Amino acid sequence: MTAQLIDGSAIAEQIRAQVKAEVAEWVAAGHPTPGLATVLVGDNPASAVYVRSKQKACAEAGIQSFGHTLPATASQQEVEDLVRRLNADPAVNGILVQLPLPAGLDEEGVLSAISLEKDVDGFHPVNMGRLAQKGRDPLFVPCTPAGCMYLLQSVQPHIEGLNAVVLGRSNIVGMPVALLLVRANATVTICHSRTRNLADVVRQADVLIAAVGRAEMVRGDWIKPGAIVIDVGINRVEDPSRPKGYRLVGDVAFEEAKEVAGFLTPVPGGVGPMTIAMLIRNTLTAAQWAAAKK
Ligand code: NDP
């Protein structure tokens, strides 16, 4: 079998184009331009790259972005004060605090300070809690997990009753994606570093979401023939033949998996581009809610 690839870049591009058209319509109707504030604390180069690409995506979609940077030495109070100022700023509809925060800062405290209505990353403990509760809905769903579900449901809209295995239980990917799968009525197994017989568990998966951050850990013979495999991992492996000296691979051994899976996301070009598409979609939604509240 040769898996059909799920082209995250193309799907994300369609979402971004759609958001751009909706923003233009929204503004033409006399509403203020939607705005996203980014908060970057410290000088982690990868975080700076992520923030820049989010700002660029906003600009392309006609969304205003407000970049705020604080030094790594910023105190908890200073970061939370900035968040509170942004909460009070009517030009800001969404607030994105780039994670991870420098050591010493309390991430939960900062995320909890974000107004629920502006929590476009969906990491506020109340939004996460609502995601886990039956009969409740979060205002925003975290962007990477939402992107995984979008890709999955682009090839299999009905996942009710399917066996879904999630590798990883982090707050930003594994746990929320598992909760979304449960909400979609899949039967979900969450695996982590203490899981025994991992390959055997993975072999039961009709749907596999891999989010462990271990290069090509999932081998082809772990995958159930025909399974849908969503690879969230972004891992650098040395490759002297590349100009940068490395290439990016997922958590799944792509060449092996594509001989077994039914559908598979590539790395790069799978889940990665979806995160930003979901972020700008959430920002527009936040602007619409803010206007409806007035
Ligand atoms: P974390 O390091 O926070 O979590 C990794 C999870 O994998 C943990 O739950 C850990 O278990 C589990 N794990 C680690 N090693 C193993 C193992 N050998 N066997 C089974 N489980 C294991 O990572 P993130 O969730 O933040 O990210 C995961 C991957 O997704 C990374 O490659 C990251 O770069 C990528 N990513 C991609 C994004 C995108 O595409 N936009 C966005 C965010 C992340 P335990 O809990 O027991 O420690």
Side-chain angles (χ1 to χ4, degrees):
M1 172 181 280
T2 306
Q4 203 172 310
L5 294 191
I6 307 175
D7 186 346
S9 299
I11 294 173
E13 206 42 63
Q14 282 166 14
I15 296 170
R16 286 168 65 157
Q18 200 181 333
V19 172
K20 180 179 178 171
E22 287 175 36
V23 168
E25 212 176 301
W26 177 253
V27 174
H31 297 288
T33 303
L36 175 74
T38 58
V39 177
L40 175 63
V41 189
D43 41 23
N44 179 330
S47 293
V49 170
Y50 289 136
V51 166
R52 271 200 303 277
S53 51
K54 287 166 187 176
Q55 291 169 338
K56 187 164 165 264
C58 282
E60 281 168 16
I63 293 172
Q64 216 178 339
S65 61
F66 308 95
H68 295 267
T69 48
L70 290 173
T73 51
S75 67
Q76 184 76 21
Q77 181 78 36
E78 283 168 323
V79 182
E80 290 185 19
D81 282 350
L82 172 58
V83 168
R84 286 193 198 94
R85 280 202 303 280
L86 297 171
N87 284 341
D89 184 344
V92 171
N93 301 115
I95 301 171
L96 177 136
V97 176
Q98 186 63 41
L99 301 177
L101 291 171
L105 289 173
D106 168 25
E107 182 182 295
E108 191 186 348
V110 173
L111 295 178
S112 302
I114 298 174
S115 152
L116 273 184
E117 290 79 21
K118 297 190 179 189
D119 178 36
V120 286
D121 244 349
F123 294 149
H124 190 294
V126 171
N127 271 328
M128 288 289 279
R130 286 184 184 166
L131 191 62
Q133 287 178 316
K134 202 170 174 178
R136 312 267 162 86
D137 289 313
L139 274 82
F140 296 100
V141 171
C143 300
T144 302
C148 292
M149 293 300 288
Y150 197 103
L151 294 181
L152 168 59
Q153 291 181 313
S154 74
V155 296
Q156 177 58 273
H158 305 294
I159 53 175
E160 179 164 327
L162 295 183
N163 277 341
V165 172
V166 179
L167 299 185
R169 55 176 167 180
S170 72
N171 289 340
I172 62 167
V173 191
M175 190 54 77
V177 87
L179 294 170
L180 287 168
L181 288 162
V182 170
R183 290 172 86 91
N185 294 323
T187 302
V188 181
T189 306
I190 303 174
C191 300
H192 45 76
S193 64
R194 316 291 165 85
T195 300
R196 293 188 189 156
N197 305 322
L198 189 61
D200 288 341
V201 179
V202 172
R203 283 189 191 103
Q204 306 303 313
D206 302 308
V207 171
L208 174 66
I209 313 272
V212 282
R214 303 255 180 262
E216 300 179 325
M217 186 183 83
V218 178
R219 310 311 307 187
D221 67 355
W222 296 22
I223 293 170
K224 181 174 176 178
I228 305 170
V229 178
I230 308 289
D231 189 353
V232 189
I234 303 176
N235 309 290
R236 280 185 184 190
V237 293
E238 271 185 42
D239 185 345
S241 73
R242 300 290 175 99
K244 288 183 175 166
Y246 68 86
R247 67 195 155 86
L248 295 179
V249 300
D251 290 342
V252 177
F254 182 83
E255 292 301 326
E256 295 175 17
K258 83 176 181 0
E259 300 304 321
V260 192
F263 295 92
L264 176 62
T265 60
V267 177
V271 176
M274 294 297 289
T275 301
I276 290 183
M278 292 299 166
L279 176 69
I280 60 166
R281 155 75 56 214
N282 279 353
T283 304
L284 173 59
T285 303
Q288 290 166 337
W289 280 342
K293 259 181 86 175
K294 273 190 188 159

